[in-house]
């Protein structure tokens, strides 16, 4: 299974939904709270060109947010990504 990184923020319902979806798939992930370190949210915005959390990476691939993750699942494209 590739490394999965989920950038989250405090009190973010979409972050919770993304983590639950990954957990249902049996995937382990590293969670990084962008509110915990000054400048981390700005760094993430520069890296992803997006202002929202969650931002999800599977391996080197930027998936996007929860809606993107869920869309991959609905298209049956998430499981192959998680399998590596």
């Amino acid at each position: 299974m590739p490394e999965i990184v989920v950038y989250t923020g405090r009190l973010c319902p979409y972050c919770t939904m993304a983590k639950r979806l990954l957990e249902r798939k049996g995937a382990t992930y590293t969670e990084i709270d962008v509110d915990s370190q000054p400048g981390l949210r700005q760094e993430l915005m520069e890296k992803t060109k997006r202002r929202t959390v969650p931002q999800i990476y599977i391996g080197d691939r930027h998936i996007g947010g929860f809606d993107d993750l869920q869309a991959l699942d609905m298209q049956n494209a998430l499981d192959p990504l998680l399998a590596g």
Side-chain angles (χ1 to χ4, degrees):
M1 184 173 285
E3 180 183 12
I4 301 169
V5 178
V6 182
Y7 291 89
T8 62
R10 293 186 188 119
L11 304 174
C12 169
Y14 290 99
C15 299
T16 301
M17 291 188 294
K19 293 185 293 184
R20 285 185 183 155
L21 175 55
L22 290 169
E23 289 163 4
R24 279 196 310 271
K25 296 288 184 177
T28 57
Y29 56 86
T30 300
E31 180 177 0
I32 300 174
D33 179 355
V34 298
D35 296 326
S36 67
Q37 299 174 34
L40 189 54
R41 183 179 287 270
Q42 181 65 33
E43 203 175 290
L44 180 65
M45 286 178 6
E46 291 170 8
K47 182 178 179 180
T48 64
K49 308 297 186 235
R50 295 186 181 194
R51 300 180 59 87
T52 60
V53 288
Q55 290 301 316
I56 303 156
Y57 281 84
I58 298 176
D60 292 334
R61 181 174 172 177
H62 178 232
I63 301 304
F66 170 71
D67 292 339
D68 303 302
L69 184 70
Q70 185 178 43
L72 283 173
D73 190 37
M74 301 285 281
Q75 298 164 1
N76 296 317
L78 181 57
D79 289 338
L81 278 178
L82 295 175

